[in-house]
Amino acid sequence: LPGIKSLKQNHRKRIFSAKFKWHVINYYQTHAESFAQVAAKFDLLPSQISIWRQAFIKYGYDALKPHRKGRSPKVKKQTKKQKQKLVEKKEIDQLREELARTKQELYNTKMDRDILKKSLALFGPSKPGKKRK
C-alpha cells in the first residue's frame, strides 16, 4: 500500500532527477488528483510537489535540475613560498611598468629636444633685444 509507505520517515536524503520531477508535475496537471494523492502515489511529500511545480512555472525545466547547495568551498590556503612568489611577481610587474613609463618619458623628452634643435636650425636663435613692429 503506497499510503502506509508514505507515513514512514525517510532518514536518508533522496535526490531526484529533473526528468522524474517533470514527470510528477505533468502527472499532477493531467490527472484530477490532489497534491496529497499524487504525493502518496510517488512516495513524496505534497509540499515538495508544490515547490517543484512553482519552480517549473516560474523558471522552466532548468529549475528542476539538481544543483549544489550550501556554501562554495573555501579557497585553498597559500603557503609562505607561494605568497612570496606572488609578492615578487607583483614587485616585478610594478618595476616593469615603472621602466616602461620612464622609457616613454625619455622618448618624449628626446623628441622635444630634436624639435627644438630643428627649429633652431630653421629659424635661428632668438635674440633678446629689438623687436620689429
Side-chain angles (χ1 to χ4, degrees):
L1 293 169
I4 295 171
K5 217 176 172 186
S6 65
L7 294 175
K8 289 184 180 179
Q9 287 185 347
N10 291 328
H11 292 290
R12 63 187 179 122
K13 185 174 181 175
R14 297 184 298 172
I15 299 173
F16 302 101
S17 68
K19 189 175 180 179
F20 175 77
K21 293 175 186 179
W22 181 82
H23 178 70
V24 172
I25 293 167
N26 191 32
Y27 182 86
Y28 170 75
Q29 292 177 342
T30 56
H31 292 77
E33 294 182 14
S34 68
F35 278 127
Q37 291 170 331
V38 175
K41 179 174 170 86
F42 289 100
D43 191 26
L44 298 168
L45 295 173
S47 61
Q48 191 62 60
I49 297 171
S50 174
I51 291 168
W52 291 346
R53 184 170 174 263
Q54 288 172 359
F56 178 71
I57 290 169
K58 192 170 184 179
Y59 301 108
Y61 185 78
D62 287 338
L64 301 178
K65 293 180 180 176
H67 56 278
R68 300 186 102 189
K69 294 182 175 85
R71 286 186 183 184
S72 57
K74 290 184 179 180
V75 178
K76 291 181 183 178
K77 291 186 177 181
Q78 296 175 343
T79 63
K80 287 183 181 179
K81 286 183 181 179
Q82 290 172 333
K83 287 181 185 178
Q84 185 63 32
K85 283 182 183 179
L86 283 175
V87 169
E88 288 173 2
K89 283 183 182 180
K90 287 180 184 177
E91 288 176 359
I92 289 171
D93 290 341
Q94 287 175 349
L95 290 172
R96 283 184 180 154
E97 288 175 12
E98 187 179 339
L99 180 61
R101 281 193 303 269
T102 307
K103 282 184 178 181
Q104 185 64 41
E105 287 175 16
L106 179 61
Y107 174 77
N108 291 341
T109 307
K110 284 182 179 180
M111 292 300 290
D112 290 344
R113 184 199 63 201
D114 290 346
I115 291 171
L116 288 172
K117 279 184 178 178
K118 287 186 181 184
S119 67
L120 266 174
L122 290 174
F123 303 114
S126 62
K127 296 180 182 175
K130 294 183 184 178
K131 290 187 179 179
R132 293 186 187 174
K133 287 187 180 183

